[in-house]
Amino acid sequence: MALRRALALGCLALLAAWTGPGVGGQKRKEMVLSEKVGQLMEWAGKRSVIRLNGDKFRRLVKAPPRNYSVIVMFTALQPHRQCVVCKQADEEYQILANSWRYSTAFTNRVFFAMVDFDEGSDVFQMLNMNSAPTFINFPPKGKPKRGDTYELQVRGFAAEQLARWVADRTDVNIRVIRPPNYAGPLMLGLLLAVIGGLVYLRRSNLDFLYNKTGWSFVALCFVLAMTSGQMWNHIRGPPYAHKNPHTGQVNYIHGSSQAQFVAETHIVLLFNAGVTLGMVLLHEAATSDMEVGKRKIMCVAGIGLVVLFFSWLLSIFRSKYHGYPYSFLMS
């Protein structure tokens, strides 16, 4: 009996020695994880986007254990950095984070954070990052994959687009709620009031409503706006232009056929308007009853406008669709 008791005690001691460190390590991990989640929840309660420096980033984002995702915007918001896109992206990012923070579905599964270059330049160096703004999702386990870096140049930085990307990477659906903006309704009301006032003042003679030239001009403006990509800008919310942080060069034309800048839309609209004006002049030169000399001038001007602006349009097309073999006047 004494021998059996000794053997049993020895087995229990060996079992305790074998499992003790593992259980203790697991408890320590749980305590560290609980402390990190509690800290993040406390900060998120005060500010929807948590500002991180190098130490906080390494401790709360990079270092395990972690059972939550962190969406981090790497940016440069200080005035001396002159990053206009960073400010625009920050506004949309704040809208997204606030929509999540004040949602009834808010949990500790996802946190939104920010690393400013002037507060965490070591983080930029650690991640070999040389451009801003950049959005990266740090998943609960493992390192970020290729899809965890947001394609800003393709999708734009609108809060709705960011929300779709977050849902794709974390399975957390966020309903974007924007603060009320009364500028649009006020402008629409003012426009309707002006139109209504003009109609009332000319109520005795409404022949101007049947003016074909006026309605043609309105329809032409609408067509030019739609064909230049204004609706795409409204949906995607792209930046106005892109400034290279190293050379300082500003690009107004996006190099990919899958995206565009707002400035590019304005340029294309201007070129399309030039081609249209040239075609109108050619039509007038062929059908009007003016003198032959004036009609020749209109014809030459129309041909010049069509040739020049069409050449510029074709050069933009070539710059976006690489390998396109044709050009006209300019490459």
Side-chain angles (χ1 to χ4, degrees):
M1 293 293 293
L3 181 60
R4 290 181 180 178
R5 185 177 299 173
L7 289 173
L9 291 174
C11 291
L12 289 174
L14 289 173
L15 181 63
W18 182 69
T19 59
V23 173
Q26 183 65 27
K27 288 184 177 180
R28 282 194 297 272
K29 287 183 179 180
E30 292 177 357
M31 291 177 61
V32 172
L33 179 60
S34 177
E35 180 183 353
K36 292 168 69 173
V37 172
Q39 183 69 80
L40 288 170
M41 289 293 289
E42 179 183 352
W43 288 341
K46 299 177 181 178
R47 179 180 291 179
S48 300
V49 177
I50 303 170
R51 298 186 72 96
L52 301 176
N53 55 23
D55 294 335
K56 293 178 181 178
F57 177 82
R58 282 185 285 270
R59 180 168 59 89
L60 298 171
V61 180
K62 291 288 289 183
R66 194 173 69 248
N67 63 352
Y68 50 84
S69 296
V70 184
I71 310 297
V72 183
M73 180 177 75
F74 298 90
T75 185
L77 293 174
Q78 296 301 319
H80 66 276
R81 299 295 176 187
Q82 297 182 350
C83 183
V84 178
V85 180
C86 293
K87 296 179 181 179
Q88 296 172 345
D90 178 61
E91 294 176 358
E92 294 295 312
Y93 190 59
Q94 295 287 344
I95 292 174
L96 176 63
N98 286 326
S99 299
W100 171 240
R101 172 63 186 85
Y102 297 105
S103 169
T104 56
F106 174 74
T107 64
N108 57 11
R109 290 180 57 189
V110 177
F111 294 99
F112 290 88
M114 172 196 301
V115 176
D116 192 278
F117 181 80
D118 291 280
E119 299 174 3
S121 58
D122 53 334
V123 178
F124 279 73
Q125 296 175 1
M126 178 175 58
L127 299 177
N128 296 321
M129 193 174 301
N130 54 16
S131 64
T134 300
F135 299 91
I136 299 180
N137 168 52
F138 292 86
K141 295 181 180 180
K143 297 180 180 180
K145 299 179 177 58
R146 182 176 181 180
D148 288 314
T149 300
Y150 182 72
E151 297 176 336
L152 181 66
Q153 302 297 336
V154 176
R155 299 188 179 189
F157 49 73
E160 290 77 8
Q161 291 296 114
L162 287 168
R164 295 189 187 98
W165 171 69
V166 171
D168 179 60
R169 306 312 302 175
T170 65
D171 292 330
V172 173
N173 293 294
I174 303 175
R175 182 180 171 223
V176 176
I177 301 177
R178 293 182 174 274
N181 184 1
Y182 301 106
L186 285 176
M187 291 301 297
L188 179 61
L190 180 62
L191 178 62
L192 293 176
V194 171
I195 295 175
L198 291 175
V199 172
Y200 177 77
L201 291 175
R202 300 193 59 179
R203 61 186 182 276
S204 59
N205 183 9
L206 298 180
D207 292 340
F208 71 96
L209 292 177
Y210 302 97
N211 190 314
K212 294 182 180 180
T213 303
W215 286 112
S216 299
F217 180 76
V218 172
L220 183 60
C221 291
F222 178 79
V223 170
L224 289 174
M226 293 298 103
T227 54
S228 64
Q230 293 291 345
M231 186 58 67
W232 194 93
N233 292 340
H234 179 73
I235 296 173
R236 296 295 185 91
Y240 186 81
H242 175 69
K243 183 178 181 180
N244 191 311
H246 301 290
T247 62
Q249 181 181 1
V250 179
N251 296 322
Y252 298 101
I253 305 297
H254 199 286
S256 171
S257 61
Q258 302 298 319
Q260 67 180 17
F261 298 131
V262 175
E264 181 180 336
T265 302
H266 297 162
I267 293 172
V268 171
L269 188 149
L270 176 63
F271 290 175
N272 281 329
V275 173
T276 304
L277 178 59
M279 296 299 294
V280 170
L281 290 177
L282 288 173
H283 178 268
E284 289 296 319
T287 59
S288 67
D289 297 330
M290 292 188 299
E291 298 177 1
V292 176
K294 293 182 179 180
R295 293 169 62 182
K296 286 182 179 180
I297 294 174
M298 292 178 64
C299 181
V300 173
I303 293 175
L305 287 173
V306 171
V307 169
L308 180 63
F309 285 104
F310 179 77
S311 300
W312 278 335
L313 276 174
L314 194 60
S315 66
I316 293 177
F317 187 84
R318 280 172 53 86
S319 68
K320 297 179 70 67
Y321 291 84
H322 305 285
Y324 185 76
Y326 304 108
S327 63
F328 186 60
L329 290 188
M330 57 192 71
S331 58

